Amino acid sequence: MTSGSRQRFPVGASASITELEADPHALLAALRGGEPVSWLPSLSGWLVTSHELAEKVLRDPATFTVDDPRFSTARVVGPSMLSLDGEQHARHREPFTHPFRPAEVRGRFTAVIEDHVERLLATMRPKGAADLRAEFAGPLAVAVVAEALGLTDVDAATVLSWYAAIVDAVSEVTAGRPRGDAGVAAMDELRTSVLRTLAERDPASILVAAGERLSPAEVVANAAVLMFGGIDTTEGMITNAVLHLLDRPDLLAAARSDEDLLPAVVEESVRLEPAAAIVDRYATTGVELGGATIERGDLVTVSISAANRDPAVFPDPDSFDPHRPNARRNLAFAKGPHFCIGAQLARTETLVALREVLRLPELATDPARPSAPRGLVFRKPRALHVTWSTG
């Protein structure tokens, strides 16, 4: 792109990673209002902020693809449903769709989630205070992923250690550095566990069923992707939803007295602060989008956060309103062929977690330790310190 072309996007030119990570909503609103597709030097790519254009990109994998050698996750875990498009994407994804359909989630996972929630809360209740992200939301998300994968002789703590090492490796590759020894070791251990699980051929295993149609290496890669999708985003969904209610005592009281309100609370929470804030695509051809001339190979980043606060779709978009009639038009789980395969599981986890956490008496944030979501890719509080009555 020429320097003259870049001067057409002054708001994007001034955007910093620090601002995008901390509290980006005023910046995103300015971009959406004047530069809905803007070149951001800080991202070395385009940022799409309007709901209409974001949905257009997400629904058009022929023009805006994930299948690009720069896609860092694929460089660490291998090709998977996350990093392929077209027929190959469908082939990788299809073996995993059935277990995550709404009816299957209700029958297969609801009781499991309820058991893990009660186990975690039983440990927390006598304390009267906790970091809800570190002591509840995170461990719950990890435990459910471990259960969903059904790996032989692997506990939640081991899954978490693999996940953390793989995330670090992806971050290193994204920054242009080689992945460290810990990331290589984690993938090796995950591979060994998946192969052992496939060999035992438990008919109830999601991975064994997938192994009927995918190679062992492909099952390993998709198992790693399910770890990504099931841990960070679900942890963020739970933490953000609790924070949104604690910030609104009137709605907290309403949700406590009427559990039928909770599904709407969850949906409005992911609209207002989606746990996965951005997704990346790469242009397969030159294309005009929102007044911008995108060249083949350009990075095109969709801001889910900005699209979800587009006033053209969501009136008074910065307010938390569980009675919003069209909240489910949010793009928190993406759209098109890469719509989040675990969306129903994540919603169910968040709903059950929220219902039980709200039963803690006199639940409140710790005023001495305030919390706010932050993060460029995954947005959630670094910690959510809460207190409750034990009397």
Side-chain angles (χ1 to χ4, degrees):
M1 180 190 300
T2 66
S3 60
S5 298
R6 292 180 180 178
Q7 291 173 3
R8 293 179 48 218
F9 305 101
V11 179
S14 67
S16 68
I17 293 294
T18 299
E19 191 173 7
L20 291 167
E21 287 178 336
D23 186 4
H25 298 297
L27 168 63
L28 295 176
L31 286 165
R32 191 176 52 236
E35 302 171 14
V37 180
S38 180
W39 178 262
L40 271 64
S42 59
L43 296 178
S44 298
W46 300 94
L47 188 67
V48 180
T49 50
S50 88
H51 187 282
E52 177 186 3
L53 297 176
E55 189 165 358
K56 182 175 181 178
V57 170
L58 295 174
R59 290 188 181 277
D60 185 6
T63 307
F64 304 100
T65 186
V66 297
D67 193 352
D68 186 278
R70 290 168 289 178
F71 201 88
S72 53
T73 302
R75 292 163 63 189
V76 174
V77 308
S80 71
M81 68 176 98
L82 185 68
S83 58
L84 294 168
D85 273 316
E87 292 181 1
Q88 287 300 308
H89 169 258
R91 186 177 69 83
H92 277 249
R93 181 183 173 99
E94 198 278 332
F96 295 96
T97 56
H98 183 74
F100 295 107
R101 289 171 178 159
E104 290 294 316
V105 168
R106 285 192 296 271
R108 186 169 190 157
F109 292 112
T110 300
V112 169
I113 294 167
E114 290 172 343
D115 288 346
H116 284 304
V117 167
E118 178 51 36
R119 173 181 57 82
L120 291 165
L121 287 178
T123 300
M124 288 170 48
R125 282 191 192 98
K127 300 178 181 179
D131 173 356
L132 205 69
R133 175 186 166 184
E135 298 176 55
F136 178 74
L140 174 62
V142 172
V144 173
V145 163
E147 192 90 29
L149 292 178
L151 295 170
T152 302
D153 299 327
V154 174
D155 58 17
T158 301
V159 170
L160 179 60
S161 69
W162 292 343
Y163 168 76
I166 293 169
V167 167
D168 287 345
V170 171
S171 298
E172 292 297 304
V173 169
T174 301
R177 298 185 291 267
R179 56 179 175 163
D181 292 341
V184 174
M187 281 303 301
D188 287 343
E189 291 174 21
L190 174 62
R191 183 177 301 106
T192 298
S193 180
V194 169
L195 294 178
R196 184 167 59 242
T197 300
L198 294 178
E200 295 192 359
R201 302 191 62 79
D202 179 355
S205 168
I206 290 173
L207 300 182
V208 169
E212 297 294 327
R213 283 165 283 181
L214 300 176
S215 72
E218 290 168 342
V219 176
V220 171
N222 284 293
V225 165
L226 291 173
M227 286 168 52
F228 272 87
I231 294 176
D232 237 315
T233 53
T234 306
E235 178 191 55
M237 281 179 64
I238 295 168
T239 308
N240 290 340
V242 174
L243 180 60
H244 285 143
L245 282 179
L246 292 179
D247 283 345
R248 287 287 302 275
D250 56 328
L251 294 176
L252 176 63
R256 277 179 157 161
S257 63
D258 180 11
E259 290 186 357
D260 290 341
L261 183 62
L262 292 181
V265 167
V266 172
E267 209 61 37
E268 175 67 350
S269 178
V270 298
R271 182 202 68 81
L272 190 66
E273 197 71 80
I278 60 173
V279 293
D280 289 345
R281 299 290 187 266
Y282 298 90
T284 62
T285 187
V287 62
E288 295 288 325
L289 183 72
T293 301
I294 297 173
E295 297 177 4
R296 179 182 178 183
D298 281 355
L299 170 65
V300 180
T301 297
V302 174
S303 174
I304 304 297
S305 294
N308 279 3
R309 296 196 186 203
D310 190 336
V313 179
F314 306 106
D316 191 16
D318 296 325
S319 68
F320 179 65
D321 178 12
H323 301 290
R324 189 182 298 277
N326 68 341
R328 285 185 77 96
R329 287 193 64 189
N330 75 79
L331 304 182
F333 298 103
K335 291 288 183 182
H338 287 279
F339 179 80
C340 176
I341 198 169
Q344 186 61 37
L345 181 59
R347 285 182 171 116
T348 302
E349 283 183 69
T350 305
L351 181 61
V352 173
L354 201 58
R355 183 187 70 207
E356 300 304 321
V357 166
L358 294 188
R359 291 175 178 169
L360 294 170
E362 301 177 35
L363 181 69
T365 53
D366 183 343
R369 306 171 85 174
S371 302
R374 61 176 295 116
L376 176 64
V377 180
F378 297 112
R379 288 192 60 78
K380 57 198 167 189
R382 289 177 172 170
L384 179 55
H385 295 282
V386 297
T387 61
W388 60 89
S389 172
T390 59

